[in-house]
Amino acid sequence: MTESIERDERHRARMQRKKALIDEKIAQSQDEYGLLLVHSGNGKGKSSSAFGMVARALGHGIKVGVVQFIKGAASTGEEAFFRRFPDEVSYHVMGEGFTWETQDRQRDIDKAREAWAVAVQLLNDPGIGLVVLDELNIALKYGYLELEAVLADIEARPLLQHVVVTGRGALPGMIEAADTVTEMSLVKHAFKAGVKAQKGVEF
Amino acid sequence: MTESIERDERHRARMQRKKALIDEKIAQSQDEYGLLLVHSGNGKGKSSSAFGMVARALGHGIKVGVVQFIKGAASTGEEAFFRRFPDEVSYHVMGEGFTWETQDRQRDIDKAREAWAVAVQLLNDPGIGLVVLDELNIALKYGYLELEAVLADIEARPLLQHVVVTGRGALPGMIEAADTVTEMSLVKHAFKAGVKAQKGVEF
């Protein structure tokens, strides 16, 4: 019951903040503010597009935070590369994060919450201009994290901080909250069944 | 007439090579080979996804070549960042490349051909594992480069080299030649008209 009231209050606070932000955006529509971008769909490029934005941000001298919510789902190549710049990129992979194989829902929930606690630290840091929440949509879709709470934390971030959320199956509430949503669709995938994943392209 | 015969011969050679390659792929479908990936569509993420793959490749110790066919269309941030690694990334932006404003078709064609000559050097270099041809689709759509010749050069590349072609309006022949085609669609773009482009996100 208390939890339900808290959730309602969070929702109300979030909606109030959202309204204030929208009013502000409309009033000062030429001003800069941090965007919430969502990359969803069944095609390729959701995560790699986010990591291209990391490179872009670093080129502008903007510091970046990354949390990968599914260990092994994202590229080990990107991780190896961006870990070269520890002063510029704060890179976090869920320690023994949930995978498709664990079959232990409570453990997965615990790990997702630990990862979210790291995300919240990045979302609270005004020194970080871009936060990538890789495969967050999956954690939300499985109910490992509560959408309302996640959106409240995202929307409480510093005004100029950009956030990119990736993963197929973005929840409607995430799409509603986003400034920009891109759907990556697979048009063609030759030899899908036969050809093994290619280093440097697929992982 | 001579040109037409040459084109027919190139086409035949290309088709023969393609058939041999496909036969080889089918015969040894677990073997690695370089993919041709196309990122098209009207949404965001076509180029940034390619640059994410650059980061991924570098993380695997794979050397990369980049040619940007439209100066100014792609991110200055990505260029600034990847130029930090001259030993790992061979980065080329069309000198005074064609823009939407030049209105000088012959000059644009000349510049596109100069850029393609650089691309061919990268496509001939077995030391380069990934070649990004950013906004090539635009140059092809405008007829600044001939599709058949471009595909012949791409298909003559080293067997293990990956190529990513970006840009909206991919020609049917490019899609046909590709191993993987991803369409980036814009689902939502809030305040599209009012909000100015955001550094670190849009450029």
Side-chain angles (χ1 to χ4, degrees):
Chain A
M1 209 47 175
T2 314
E3 202 179 319
S4 162
I5 290 167
E6 276 174 13
R7 196 184 305 137
D8 288 352
E9 275 173 13
R10 273 206 308 271
H11 179 80
R12 200 162 30 242
R14 188 166 75 79
M15 286 300 127
Q16 279 171 358
R17 186 177 179 284
K18 192 170 182 70
K19 185 182 180 313
L21 200 61
I22 288 173
D23 289 349
E24 191 182 7
K25 284 177 189 174
I26 291 168
Q28 315 176 340
S29 67
Q30 291 302 309
D31 278 5
E32 289 197 1
Y33 66 95
L35 300 174
L36 172 58
L37 300 99
V38 173
H39 298 172
S40 198
N42 295 320
K44 304 173 73 63
K46 295 184 289 293
S47 295
S48 50
S49 176
F51 285 105
M53 290 174 58
V54 172
R56 180 175 302 179
L58 294 175
H60 286 297
I62 295 169
K63 292 194 178 181
V64 177
V66 176
V67 181
Q68 296 192 323
F69 284 83
I70 302 188
K71 192 186 179 185
S75 156
T76 53
E78 284 148 352
E79 182 182 351
F81 181 65
F82 287 116
R83 281 198 191 277
R84 287 195 207 170
F85 319 101
D87 296 341
E88 296 165 85
V89 183
S90 178
Y91 204 108
H92 306 271
V93 179
M94 271 184 74
E96 306 169 85
F98 67 85
T99 70
W100 315 110
E101 292 87 29
T102 58
Q103 308 285 337
D104 181 344
R105 183 172 164 81
Q106 189 53 52
R107 184 180 164 286
D108 288 350
I109 289 171
D110 293 343
K111 290 295 172 187
R113 286 183 178 167
E114 283 172 30
W116 188 250
V118 174
V120 168
Q121 288 176 23
L122 301 172
L123 292 167
N124 285 338
D125 184 347
I128 291 180
L130 172 65
V131 176
V132 174
L133 303 171
D134 190 48
E135 302 288 2
L136 173 60
N137 285 334
I138 305 285
L140 291 166
K141 190 169 66 173
Y142 281 87
Y144 295 163
L145 296 170
E146 193 211 350
L147 179 66
E148 280 296 319
V150 160
L151 289 179
D153 289 334
I154 288 175
E155 291 181 6
R157 73 192 186 277
L159 189 68
L160 294 178
Q161 189 184 70
H162 302 297
V163 174
V164 187
V165 172
T166 79
R168 59 181 68 189
L171 296 181
M174 178 61 74
I175 289 172
E176 191 197 334
D179 294 292
T180 300
V181 179
T182 306
E183 172 98 1
M184 277 74 170
S185 317
L186 191 63
V187 173
K188 178 180 175 182
H189 200 330
F191 307 102
K192 197 175 182 179
V195 177
K196 71 175 176 182
Q198 304 287 303
K199 188 165 81 174
V201 178
E202 312 265 348
F203 63 95
Chain B
M1 208 49 176
T2 313
E3 202 178 320
S4 162
I5 290 167
E6 276 175 12
R7 195 184 308 135
D8 287 352
E9 275 174 12
R10 273 206 309 270
H11 180 81
R12 199 161 32 242
R14 188 165 75 78
M15 287 300 127
Q16 279 172 356
R17 184 176 180 283
K18 191 168 183 72
K19 186 182 180 313
L21 201 60
I22 288 173
D23 289 350
E24 191 181 7
K25 283 176 189 175
I26 291 168
Q28 314 176 341
S29 67
Q30 292 302 309
D31 277 6
E32 290 198 1
Y33 67 94
L35 300 174
L36 172 58
L37 300 99
V38 173
H39 298 172
S40 198
N42 295 320
K44 306 172 73 61
K46 296 184 288 293
S47 294
S48 49
S49 175
F51 286 104
M53 289 173 59
V54 172
R56 180 174 301 178
L58 295 175
H60 286 297
I62 295 169
K63 292 196 178 182
V64 177
V66 177
V67 181
Q68 296 192 323
F69 284 84
I70 301 187
K71 190 186 180 186
S75 158
T76 54
E78 284 148 351
E79 183 182 352
F81 180 66
F82 287 116
R83 281 198 192 278
R84 286 195 209 169
F85 318 101
D87 295 341
E88 295 165 85
V89 183
S90 178
Y91 204 108
H92 306 271
V93 179
M94 270 185 72
E96 307 167 83
F98 68 85
T99 69
W100 315 110
E101 292 87 28
T102 59
Q103 309 286 338
D104 182 345
R105 184 173 163 81
Q106 189 52 52
R107 183 180 164 287
D108 288 351
I109 290 172
D110 293 344
K111 291 295 172 185
R113 286 184 177 166
E114 283 173 30
W116 188 250
V118 173
V120 167
Q121 287 176 23
L122 301 172
L123 291 167
N124 284 339
D125 184 347
I128 291 180
L130 172 65
V131 177
V132 175
L133 303 172
D134 190 47
E135 303 288 1
L136 173 61
N137 285 334
I138 305 285
L140 291 166
K141 191 169 66 172
Y142 281 87
Y144 295 162
L145 296 170
E146 194 211 350
L147 180 66
E148 279 297 318
V150 160
L151 289 179
D153 289 334
I154 289 175
E155 292 180 5
R157 73 191 187 278
L159 189 68
L160 293 178
Q161 189 184 70
H162 302 297
V163 174
V164 188
V165 172
T166 79
R168 61 182 66 191
L171 295 181
M174 179 61 74
I175 288 171
E176 191 196 334
D179 294 291
T180 301
V181 179
T182 307
E183 172 98 2
M184 277 72 170
S185 317
L186 191 64
V187 173
K188 179 181 175 181
H189 200 329
F191 307 101
K192 194 175 183 179
V195 177
K196 70 175 178 182
Q198 305 286 304
K199 188 165 81 174
V201 177
E202 312 265 350
F203 62 96

